[in-house]
Amino acid sequence: DKVVFLDSDIICTKDFYHQKRFETSEVHVKAADVSSYSSNVNDWDEIYQLFSMKCPQVKVQATVTGELMPPYFNAGFVAVSDGRNFSKSWIQVSQSIDGAKVKNKYPWLDQIALPITMAQLGLDVDVLDEQYNYPLHLKPLNAASRPFFCHYHNPEVIRREPIVNQLVIELVRNHKILYLLMKRFLSWRRLLVDYKVLANSPVKDNVVSGPDKWPEGHN
């Protein structure tokens, strides 16, 4: 009953299943990790005025820094009831903001446009917790409580999280196309190398590249 938009730098760490909360609202998003665009109401007022609207009085809290800000959400996970209409409106709002004199809009354009789109369409919003869009690049993973989705941003972040790295290896073993893509780039090839501990040094991974280190069956 929902269409889910996911960033490409997202990995699912456990089964994503239906929950009652997805029946009660039209759009589901997580507040931004940090106030990367602006927490200044005046800046948001200027953008809302482009669409003949007023900035909402309600505030949301950034999930990592705790900043209070006008509605501003991470675009890595967005679940909506009407994906086709929503995506069309989201693109149009983004293009309008892109064509206007708005400061600091890059690379946050899609996230700036997101609350405007929801307001334009009059959608009821469910603000999700971090288990649906966990900021792995900013916070280490709690092995005892895996989120549904991790937002990792780059392969170096995956490498410092052995549990997530193991998930990638399992995916590679089941989908050879991933191996063929990953072996082309050093930062991704490193994810397929065993972790090692150097003697007389703090624990860290000692990356040793080489075709003999790839998962069995893909040499």
Side-chain angles (χ1 to χ4, degrees):
D1 296 328
K2 287 288 192 298
V3 172
V4 180
F5 295 81
L6 292 174
D7 270 5
S8 58
D9 56 334
I10 295 278
I11 186 166
C12 183
T13 66
K14 66 179 182 181
D15 288 344
F16 177 47
Y17 53 86
H18 172 79
Q19 289 185 319
K20 287 290 184 180
R21 70 183 308 159
F22 290 99
E23 298 176 1
T24 58
S25 298
E26 297 161 298
V27 61
H28 311 263
V29 286
K30 185 194 77 70
D33 311 319
V34 301
S35 182
S36 54
Y37 168 59
S38 177
S39 56
N40 189 323
V41 174
N42 292 331
D43 292 334
W44 282 101
D45 275 335
E46 292 181 6
I47 295 177
Y48 276 89
Q49 287 171 9
L50 295 173
F51 304 92
S52 301
M53 294 189 295
K54 292 184 178 180
C55 179
Q57 296 296 311
V58 66
K59 297 289 184 69
V60 299
Q61 188 174 37
T63 60
V64 173
T65 61
E67 301 165 271
L68 291 177
M69 54 192 177
Y72 184 55
F73 307 97
N74 188 285
F77 178 102
V78 182
V80 295
S81 299
D82 184 353
R84 188 177 300 276
N85 187 47
F86 185 88
S87 61
K88 181 179 179 181
S89 298
W90 194 3
I91 291 171
Q92 290 174 344
V93 171
S94 298
Q95 290 174 334
S96 295
I97 297 173
D98 192 32
K101 293 182 179 180
V102 176
K103 297 179 181 178
N104 193 35
K105 58 189 172 184
Y106 305 121
W108 322 114
L109 182 60
D110 58 338
Q111 293 192 166
I112 297 170
L114 189 52
I116 308 292
T117 303
M118 294 188 293
Q120 268 195 341
L121 297 175
L123 302 180
D124 179 47
V125 182
D126 172 30
V127 180
L128 300 170
D129 52 60
E130 286 186 336
Q131 68 171 328
Y132 296 95
N133 188 351
Y134 189 84
L136 193 65
H137 62 304
L138 298 176
K139 297 168 62 174
L141 185 66
N142 181 352
S145 180
R146 293 191 190 185
F148 291 113
F149 297 100
C150 280
H151 203 160
Y152 61 83
H153 284 249
N154 59 68
E156 288 77 16
V157 171
I158 294 177
R159 187 60 180 174
R160 74 180 187 220
E161 298 286 347
I163 291 176
V164 182
N165 200 153
Q166 183 59 35
L167 288 173
V168 171
I169 291 174
E170 291 172 8
L171 287 169
V172 169
R173 285 174 174 157
N174 291 317
H175 305 281
K176 187 174 181 179
I177 184 64
L178 292 179
Y179 167 74
L180 296 175
L181 290 170
M182 289 171 65
K183 74 174 185 176
R184 296 169 56 191
F185 305 97
L186 178 60
S187 60
W188 285 98
R189 289 206 307 268
R190 284 174 172 163
L191 302 186
L192 305 178
V193 178
D194 292 337
Y195 286 86
K196 290 187 178 181
V197 179
L198 297 177
N200 302 319
S201 69
V203 175
K204 61 182 179 179
D205 65 323
N206 179 24
V207 175
V208 181
S209 61
D212 58 317
K213 293 293 182 180
W214 304 141
E216 184 178 352
H218 290 327
N219 291 332

